[in-house]
Amino acid sequence: MPKKKTPTWITTLPKVGIRPTIDGRYGGVRESLEGQVMDMAKRASELITSSLKYPNGTPVECVIADTCIGGVAESAACAEKFDRENVGVSLTVTPCWCYGSETMDMDPLRPKAVWGFNGTERPGAVYLAAVLAGHTQKGLPAFGIYGRDVQDGGDSNIPADVAEKILRFTKAGLALAMMRGKSYLSMGGCSMGIAGSIVDQAFFESYLGMRVEAIDLTEFARRMRDGIYDQEEYKQAMQWVKENCKEGFDPNSKGTKRSRKQLNSEWEQSVKMAIITRDLMYGNPVLKKMGKIEESRGHNAILSGFQGQRHWTDAYANGDFLEAISNSSFDWSGIRMPRLVATENDSLNGVPMLLSYLLTNTAQVFADVRTYWSPEAIKRVTGHDVEGPAANGIIHLINSGSAALDGSGQQSSNGEPAMKPFWEITRKEAKACLNATTWHPSVTEYFPGGGWSSKFTTKAGMPVTMSRINLVKGLGPVLQIAEGTTVELPAKVHKTLDDRTNNTWPTTWFVPRTTGEGAFRDVYSVMANWGANHGAFCYGHIGADLISLAALLRIPVFMHNVPEDKIFRPSAWASFGTADLEGADFRACAAYGPLYG
């Protein structure tokens, strides 16, 4: 695959600020601690930079305060440096007692955590408790990090449990900071009455720190009509499609099949729409050279949605290709960062795609949460007794549009199916994803304007996390999370079930991990409690990371199957109740309100 630099949303990326706080008393106390405190900050910085990467593949950058912080003057100097250095996340570290309210980070928008060293020589735990109390009292909640086991004062190791919390907090904080100031690009309006595509600008502004940019879909028609796209890139893309996008069977009846000439035209429209979508999101300097200065600037979008049905698709090719190829980690330009586009402009499914992407740097799969198949129903329809992970039933995830081709599971990690950050994907793996996908003429009754639908079946054995945001009148946004795994069915069983719905769309057979209680009592209960017709899934079990990020955004989680010992929220949440963590989360989020007001 060729390598070509294409526009992205990446501009200036936020850094992680490390704040080494210290006992301010001179005359022997502070002097004896300077080296130990600053070394603790350096070790935290090394952990973060060696473990985490930005979505463009570069290591996360850290900024350490110029001096240890023993009082308010040094705290203010640190804040000024952080502002200059574009610090979006704050981690305070110390092994000793410090003056709590004088040394704490007071920025109301910067996510905060405090690591208090668990040692007996100095009261790092006492400072941690004191400063967290200050954060709670002042309404600036912070995550508290404290190792389970006591360490010797000179121990320079970061215990595994401490490292896990530092990295979980940092990933969540960076995700929040990377969203701030970006846009959701609403391409079109409400699709077929779907609530998630009634884009709520107040939600994006108040909870995510983002703005909503809206365009009418006639902008696509204008750009296609007037040739407002990179003509050379278009030729390259069409050649790539001919070589890499295999056509599958035509599901249409004799009377509704479209001519070869029409199908070729639909490929041309689809490719142009994919290029135009990227230009609308990020801009494109090539357009400036063409004299289209305004169009060249884009909409500063980190996330978008395409309305499609029905006003567009009754007349033009549908958005299936533009959505699927945008969300994938590769196209005619080579292996690259995914571009997040939500089918049917469902912004509330787009947001969890964005949250999970910023936490994992991997492609996201948008899907209908289509059908729960019980073992009994599968037996009745196919005569097959399901076994193994599918023995208690499966959920059919399927959608015509934004399923990234990465979701086929043709990439691998340690010999197992995976979806990887783009910089880890080999050309062979990208080609395997393309080879596992066929493209089919869309069903004419659904899409009179034509278009091409992608079809693949996800390989078994991928750990995945499905999530969704819902808006509830009188309550606000809520997040739901389901960790589970992908499974495969015997070929005949798969075909029988797949043929009962649209068999030209990508299929993932999903089994959520059940707990025997509540919404996760069984697989049916997960389906029954899902809050909308769509869900998005990513590779890996990242439910705990999503919970930490949701707490930062003040979005309560009403349904999840994350083990309790993995849940990590700001320390203030304990003040809202410890017996019922879900209820405490709702109360805390209500009390603090949306982060951006």
Side-chain angles (χ1 to χ4, degrees):
M1 286 187 169
K3 289 191 177 294
K4 176 183 176 183
K5 186 175 181 180
T6 60
T8 72
W9 58 269
I10 297 290
T11 50
T12 303
L13 289 164
K15 300 172 185 176
V16 179
I18 313 291
R19 307 175 71 256
T21 55
I22 196 167
D23 192 322
R25 290 170 288 195
Y26 283 96
V29 177
R30 175 165 178 159
E31 294 90 336
S32 68
L33 292 166
E34 291 276 3
Q36 182 184 2
V37 173
M38 190 57 76
D39 179 65
M40 193 173 172
K42 292 176 180 176
R43 285 186 283 120
S45 175
E46 290 167 1
L47 170 70
I48 291 167
T49 57
S50 64
S51 303
L52 301 181
K53 287 183 168 63
Y54 293 114
N56 64 358
T58 60
V60 167
E61 294 185 54
C62 293
V63 175
I64 300 176
D66 291 334
T67 67
C68 292
I69 301 169
V72 68
E74 290 157 319
S75 183
C78 174
E80 290 178 7
K81 180 178 184 179
F82 283 7
D83 288 341
R84 290 194 306 270
E85 295 281 348
N86 191 37
V87 166
V89 183
S90 166
L91 173 64
T92 297
V93 302
T94 193
C96 61
W97 168 254
C98 318
Y99 307 156
S101 61
E102 295 183 26
T103 57
M104 62 188 283
D105 183 345
M106 295 289 287
D107 189 311
L109 299 182
R110 186 178 288 138
K112 305 173 211 343
V114 183
W115 171 27
F117 183 79
N118 185 0
T120 56
E121 290 82 357
R122 297 282 182 176
V126 177
Y127 169 70
L128 176 63
V131 76
L132 290 177
H135 278 288
T136 300
Q137 187 169 327
K138 294 176 183 293
L140 300 169
F143 288 75
I145 300 171
Y146 182 62
R148 175 173 291 274
D149 298 317
V150 173
Q151 294 178 260
D152 297 333
D155 189 348
S156 62
N157 292 315
I158 300 180
D161 61 328
V162 170
E164 180 181 30
K165 289 183 176 179
I166 288 174
L167 295 177
R168 177 157 293 144
F169 160 75
T170 303
K171 284 191 288 186
L174 284 172
L176 181 152
M178 284 187 282
M179 284 187 287
R180 185 184 300 141
K182 296 297 182 183
S183 302
Y184 175 82
L185 177 59
S186 174
M187 298 184 291
C190 181
S191 174
M192 302 185 296
I194 293 172
S197 64
I198 305 171
V199 182
D200 190 313
Q201 297 201 19
F203 162 64
F204 277 91
E205 293 166 4
S206 298
Y207 284 89
L208 307 179
M210 295 171 59
R211 72 170 71 209
V212 174
E213 289 279 288
I215 64 162
D216 190 89
L217 291 180
T218 53
E219 178 64 5
F220 278 83
R222 181 181 78 92
R223 293 193 185 205
M224 288 194 290
R225 181 195 67 193
D226 296 346
I228 306 174
Y229 50 85
D230 185 336
Q231 304 288 335
E232 290 302 314
E233 181 182 15
Y234 168 66
K235 293 176 184 178
Q236 175 192 355
M238 284 300 300
Q239 184 61 37
W240 181 87
V241 165
K242 290 176 183 177
E243 295 171 357
N244 293 279
C245 296
K246 299 183 300 183
E247 292 187 10
F249 63 85
D250 188 335
N252 292 293
S253 64
K254 184 177 179 180
T256 59
K257 286 184 186 294
R258 306 187 293 277
S259 69
R260 184 68 249 180
K261 181 179 179 181
Q262 175 62 28
L263 294 175
N264 290 342
S265 173
E266 292 164 19
W267 270 125
E268 293 169 359
Q269 290 181 56
S270 297
V271 171
K272 291 174 185 176
M273 288 162 60
I275 294 171
I276 290 169
T277 294
R278 183 206 58 214
D279 293 350
L280 284 165
M281 291 178 70
Y282 310 144
N284 189 343
V286 173
L287 302 185
K288 184 176 182 180
K289 296 177 182 178
M290 296 168 55
K292 299 296 181 181
I293 298 174
E294 183 178 3
E295 291 89 339
S296 73
R297 291 174 176 152
H299 289 269
N300 193 39
I302 195 173
L303 170 68
S304 68
F306 183 77
Q307 175 197 336
Q309 299 184 77
R310 286 186 43 231
H311 307 110
W312 178 264
T313 56
D314 280 2
Y316 297 94
N318 64 26
D320 289 7
F321 177 80
L322 86 81
E323 294 164 4
I325 210 67
S326 294
N327 282 298
S328 299
S329 301
F330 40 83
D331 62 12
W332 48 89
S333 65
I335 300 171
R336 49 139 179 90
M337 293 169 56
R339 300 188 286 269
L340 303 184
V341 184
T343 293
E344 294 160 346
N345 200 24
D346 186 350
S347 62
L348 298 183
N349 213 51
V351 169
M353 289 172 70
L354 176 60
L355 302 185
S356 296
Y357 171 62
L358 294 176
L359 289 169
T360 66
N361 299 326
T362 60
Q364 306 295 303
V365 177
F366 183 114
D368 283 352
V369 184
R370 180 62 67 95
T371 310
Y372 164 69
W373 278 99
S374 67
E376 295 77 14
I378 296 173
K379 174 73 171 179
R380 177 181 63 81
V381 171
T382 70
H384 178 72
D385 290 307
V386 287
E387 300 175 341
N392 295 314
I394 53 178
I395 294 176
H396 193 180
L397 303 179
I398 181 172
N399 186 271
S400 67
S402 289
L405 273 56
D406 306 56
S408 60
Q410 298 295 321
Q411 301 160 27
S412 65
S413 178
N414 298 319
E416 298 294 330
M419 297 165 63
K420 301 192 292 191
F422 79 92
W423 60 87
E424 295 181 6
I425 299 171
T426 66
R427 294 187 178 191
K428 183 178 179 181
E429 288 174 323
K431 185 64 175 177
C433 292
L434 288 162
N435 288 340
T437 305
T438 50
W439 297 87
H440 302 258
S442 61
V443 176
T444 305
E445 294 96 318
Y446 282 169
F447 303 109
W452 291 87
S453 297
S454 62
K455 176 180 176 62
F456 61 74
T457 303
T458 302
K459 291 183 72 172
M462 283 206 303
V464 297
T465 302
M466 185 168 72
S467 58
R468 166 79 192 185
I469 292 275
N470 298 296
L471 289 181
V472 182
K473 187 174 177 62
L475 177 62
V478 291
L479 174 68
Q480 53 189 157
I481 300 166
E483 295 182 343
T485 188
T486 62
V487 299
E488 291 180 74
L489 300 174
K492 289 185 178 180
V493 178
H494 167 85
K495 187 176 188 310
T496 300
L497 301 187
D498 208 36
D499 284 350
R500 291 173 66 100
T501 183
N502 192 312
N503 59 2
T504 64
W505 293 353
T507 278
T508 302
W509 300 111
F510 173 60
V511 178
R513 185 177 65 247
T514 54
T515 63
E517 298 178 346
F520 289 89
R521 180 172 59 254
D522 51 30
V523 178
Y524 173 81
S525 297
V526 176
M527 177 79 178
N529 284 281
W530 204 252
N533 54 308
H534 291 150
F537 74 81
C538 73
Y539 176 76
H541 289 160
I542 65 159
D545 295 332
L546 282 168
I547 287 173
S548 293
L549 176 53
L552 287 174
L553 297 170
R554 316 293 190 253
I555 298 175
V557 180
F558 77 94
M559 172 181 169
H560 73 81
N561 57 350
V562 177
E564 186 173 317
D565 63 349
K566 295 294 184 183
I567 296 174
F568 188 38
R569 292 184 171 115
S571 64
W573 263 237
S575 300
F576 292 88
T578 56
D580 172 16
L581 297 186
E582 183 176 291
D585 184 33
F586 273 79
R587 290 187 289 272
C589 289
Y592 287 112
L595 181 61
Y596 303 99

